[in-house]
Amino acid sequence: MNINAVIGLVFLVLGVGLMLIFFFVRRNQPVRALRSISAFQHLRRALGLAVEDGKRLHVSLGQANILNSNGASALVGLSTLERVAQLSSLGDRPPVATSGDGTLAILSQDTLRSTYRRIGAFEMYNPDRGRLAGPTPFAYIAGTLPVISREQVSANLLIGNFGPEGALLCERAEQQSAFTLAASDALPAQAALYASAQEPLIGEELFAVPAYLQGTPVYQVSLHVQDILRWVVVGVLVIGAIFQFIMPLLGGGAP
Amino acid sequence: MRAPFSTALAIAFGLVVLLGYFIPAPCDPANPGLSCTFLGIRVVLLDWGATLAGVAMLVGIVNLALVHWRKVRASGKERDLLSAVFLLAFLITLAAGLWFTPADVRFQRAVLGIQTPVEISLMALLVVTLAYASLRLLQRRSGLMAVSFVISALVFLLLMSGLSGLFQQVPLLREPVNVINRLPLAGARGILLGIALGSLTAGLRILLGADRPYSG
């Protein structure tokens, strides 16, 4: 086993261990308040307004392939879609989900169907509300633009894997005076969305969306574990840098 | 627990694929052991996944065509005649693809002859959109982060447009420019580490059966 696999395994075991420990410790405790992020406060307000105004919510899931390493962002998008469908079930218009990958489109339909079945509102389910907008990045954007402008959408959640072309969706939403929260796992997209979206999320904030929307212990525990692992990485990096600095001074080679 | 069978299947398949990453490959066919077994199962599962993803894309495209068909047939505000353009283009491309096959050079040239200019036009539109969004950024968002973003964007645009090479010829500026050029790399690594940890915990939620983006 090479060193990368060993490091990966250590983080995996640490992650599983911490997640199980925190989950069993906290399962009977009340849900803790998370640190305030203005984007999520605005999102909650936009969700409420959409229901009150009889407008639709649009969840754009991006074009992540569920079999690739960027599939995790798609899973976050699906969890968000589940919660959005629950929250908007009191409204007149069910949410619409667009995706740039066939598997993701089917999973979005499946998420909507299972959510409506669970909350006893199966009549709200329409498979057309979870659709493939286009199979290539620009085809996806071209297919999603009409959804934002013609389907009475008042809030857009762009959560998944996007390229910088996601800025075109934010611009169209801006023209429609619609709210936009955007988060991508791709670096070029994060820069473009920071400039164009009303509420951009940077870096790992993408993975905090379900915790802030769902408020269930498992997502909060996951967020907590993520924070701890980040501090572990920071510690390892700092210690490594110190060693790299002092080893030549002590007469040894760089580690 | 909802959908216990699909949850168990997802966890089992996920674990097998994950273990495959940690068991060294390639295996020795002359002496097949645990390594070969896991590698074989992992390859089969990933092949199934790829096949299913292909079928899913086909299903998605059919669903997309049906959505546009319903929009053409709808009445009132729901009706969208642009959907008719989409369906026409879709049917022509499908028929030509079936007739000539996607490997045909003429078919590829015809499709790319339409797709490439359209995508380039969207790219040009994106450039204008991003320039406009950057101009509006400070109006919309105040604070240190927004100011830093705009200054960084301007500095690196200037450096990457040739100034960096020019400055490196001046001995006094060489090292500061090198340090500045390394800054985006450090920032990108920081963000990517965060995303990697987020992906890890999202994957663990699925593996532990705590998060199920499927109904079963």
Side-chain angles (χ1 to χ4, degrees):
Chain A
M1 201 186 287
N2 62 29
I3 186 72
N4 289 337
V6 172
I7 294 170
L9 194 60
V10 167
F11 271 89
L12 185 74
V13 171
L14 196 62
V16 171
L18 287 172
M19 215 175 253
L20 289 175
I21 289 168
F22 285 131
F23 186 71
F24 285 108
V25 167
R26 287 190 188 172
R27 64 184 164 163
N28 295 325
Q29 291 177 4
V31 174
R32 295 180 183 190
L34 296 167
R35 122 183 117 85
S36 168
I37 295 179
S38 67
F40 292 117
Q41 289 172 346
H42 293 150
L43 170 63
R44 283 193 166 275
R45 189 167 165 268
L47 293 177
L49 284 174
V51 173
E52 278 177 26
D53 295 346
K55 295 284 182 76
R56 203 184 297 285
L57 297 157
H58 168 223
V59 181
S60 189
L61 297 167
Q63 50 225 0
N65 183 333
I66 211 86
L67 295 176
N68 289 347
S69 56
N70 57 18
S73 62
L75 299 176
V76 172
L78 290 169
S79 297
T80 307
L81 176 65
E82 181 185 357
R83 185 61 178 155
V84 163
Q86 283 173 4
L87 289 173
S88 61
S89 61
L90 294 173
D92 298 332
R93 293 177 192 276
V96 58
T98 52
S99 45
D101 181 76
T103 317
L104 208 48
I106 290 177
L107 280 174
S108 68
Q109 292 177 356
D110 190 53
T111 301
L112 288 172
R113 189 176 58 205
S114 63
T115 306
Y116 288 132
R117 190 192 295 151
R118 202 167 53 252
I119 60 176
F122 195 69
E123 67 284 355
M124 291 183 83
Y125 173 65
N126 178 352
D128 288 355
R129 297 278 163 234
R131 72 183 76 145
L132 175 76
T136 67
F138 276 110
Y140 171 58
I141 297 298
T144 307
L145 288 172
V147 174
I148 295 175
S149 52
R150 292 190 192 152
E151 300 205 13
Q152 305 218 35
V153 170
S154 71
N156 297 279
L157 280 77
L158 278 62
I159 294 173
N161 177 260
F162 299 90
E165 63 276 0
L168 291 170
L169 300 180
C170 297
E171 183 58 28
R172 177 59 64 90
E174 185 87 23
Q175 288 168 5
Q176 301 290 319
S177 306
F179 171 84
T180 318
L181 181 138
S184 172
D185 59 353
L187 286 176
Q190 288 185 24
L193 295 174
Y194 183 78
S196 56
Q198 269 181 33
E199 295 295 345
L201 297 177
I202 303 295
E204 72 270 23
E205 284 178 347
L206 159 71
F207 297 94
V209 179
Y212 277 82
L213 278 182
Q214 301 262 16
T216 49
V218 67
Y219 291 106
Q220 296 208 344
V221 162
S222 165
L223 207 56
H224 196 183
V225 171
Q226 197 179 316
D227 281 344
I228 292 172
L229 291 179
R230 187 171 54 236
W231 283 111
V232 171
V233 171
V234 169
V236 169
L237 287 175
V238 169
I239 291 168
I242 291 171
F243 263 101
Q244 198 141 26
F245 183 70
I246 62 167
M247 284 303 275
L249 298 177
L250 296 175
Chain B
M1 179 186 268
R2 73 180 202 245
F5 181 68
S6 10
T7 306
L9 267 185
I11 293 172
F13 284 3
L15 280 175
V16 168
V17 173
L18 182 67
L19 281 175
Y21 284 108
F22 297 113
I23 290 172
C27 64
D28 180 12
N31 186 22
L34 191 67
S35 172
C36 282
T37 311
F38 266 112
L39 190 71
I41 295 173
R42 188 185 150 203
V43 168
V44 168
L45 290 180
L46 287 176
D47 281 351
W48 285 0
T51 309
L52 282 175
V55 174
M57 184 58 92
L58 201 63
V59 172
I61 288 171
V62 171
N63 176 246
L64 178 67
L66 287 174
V67 168
H68 283 279
W69 172 244
R70 284 183 202 117
K71 281 186 177 178
V72 172
R73 292 186 62 197
S75 55
K77 275 187 176 178
E78 296 284 312
R79 188 170 204 168
D80 188 355
L81 289 178
L82 283 176
S83 291
V85 178
F86 167 84
L87 282 175
L88 192 66
F90 173 72
L91 289 175
I92 290 172
T93 313
L94 181 71
L98 289 174
W99 183 264
F100 293 106
T101 75
D104 188 274
V105 179
R106 289 165 300 171
F107 174 73
Q108 287 178 357
R109 203 180 296 156
V111 170
L112 289 177
I114 297 167
Q115 190 182 346
T116 309
V118 170
E119 292 200 346
I120 289 173
S121 306
L122 275 172
M123 188 73 91
L125 194 64
L126 177 63
V127 172
V128 177
T129 303
L130 282 177
Y132 180 58
S134 305
L135 288 174
R136 270 190 332 194
L137 182 65
L138 289 177
Q139 276 184 329
R140 185 192 311 179
R141 207 168 292 139
S142 55
L144 190 63
M145 180 88 164
V147 175
S148 313
F149 181 86
V150 172
I151 292 173
S152 315
L154 287 174
V155 166
F156 285 103
L157 270 178
L158 287 173
L159 283 177
M160 285 172 187
S161 59
L163 276 182
S164 179
L166 208 65
F167 286 155
Q168 291 210 334
Q169 289 172 359
V170 182
L172 202 65
L173 292 176
R174 191 175 300 149
E175 204 47 43
V177 168
N178 280 342
V179 170
I180 291 173
N181 277 336
R182 276 199 295 268
L183 282 179
L185 197 64
R189 280 182 181 169
I191 292 176
L192 286 175
L193 276 173
I195 289 171
L197 292 177
S199 302
L200 175 73
T201 50
L204 288 181
R205 283 201 307 264
I206 305 278
L207 276 181
L208 295 174
D211 194 7
R212 291 179 290 272
Y214 43 82
S215 61

